[in-house]
Amino acid sequence: MKSLSRVPIIICALLLLASCGKQQKAKSMVKEFVNENARQEIDIRSFSDLDSTRVISDSLIQDLRQRAKSDPLFKSAPLSDFSAGSYPTLLYIRMRYQEPGDTLEAAKTFYFDRDLTGIIAFK
């Protein structure tokens, strides 16, 4: 009977570890993206928790991807493949950063597919 009472605790611990792994993977992906595509070196200050959303429509993703082409912070950045209707739920993380010589912090939000295979859009 004691072993059955431990099952919920073990399940919660495994879920917590899995979510921490996704959080770290998302942070790493954003840091790599910034290092490879930023027009200038920026100081990454912090990240929000990784979260999910269903309120981002396909048309909004297309719009964000179009805007990314002229974003002053990044060169023409390669984004992961996206096909309309493929992602009913997206993961996102918010990065707070500071540009050189600036005293104010700014933020960018990066959107991922559920499996964290790549960044599909940012704003």
Side-chain angles (χ1 to χ4, degrees):
M1 201 59 150
K2 282 185 179 181
S3 63
L4 281 177
S5 64
R6 293 182 187 166
V7 171
I9 294 170
I10 292 170
I11 290 172
C12 288
L14 290 173
L15 288 173
L16 181 63
L17 289 173
S19 66
C20 289
K22 281 190 166 189
Q23 174 81 17
Q24 289 305 317
K25 184 174 181 182
K27 282 183 184 180
S28 295
M29 291 172 72
V30 170
K31 286 178 183 177
E32 183 178 325
F33 182 86
V34 168
N35 287 337
E36 291 177 4
N37 299 296
R39 292 185 189 276
Q40 60 185 344
E41 191 171 320
I42 63 171
D43 182 17
I44 298 174
R45 298 297 189 148
S46 64
F47 287 96
S48 68
D49 289 336
L50 185 66
D51 206 349
S52 62
T53 182
R54 290 179 176 243
V55 297
I56 304 293
S57 67
D58 293 341
S59 59
L60 181 55
I61 291 293
Q62 294 296 354
D63 187 49
L64 292 175
R65 291 169 69 87
Q66 193 62 35
R67 288 185 198 180
K69 294 176 183 175
S70 60
D71 189 298
L73 188 62
F74 297 112
K75 304 172 203 165
S76 182
L79 297 169
S80 292
D81 290 336
F82 170 78
S83 56
S86 299
Y87 305 106
T89 301
L90 296 175
L91 298 177
Y92 69 93
I93 194 167
R94 182 163 237 202
M95 172 190 79
R96 299 196 66 75
Y97 67 94
Q98 199 168 14
E99 294 184 55
D102 201 345
T103 57
L104 299 175
E105 281 189 0
K108 291 276 184 200
T109 303
F110 293 84
Y111 296 92
F112 309 87
D113 59 88
R114 251 189 349 186
D115 297 326
L116 289 173
T117 58
I119 297 170
I120 60 168
F122 63 86
K123 67 174 181 176

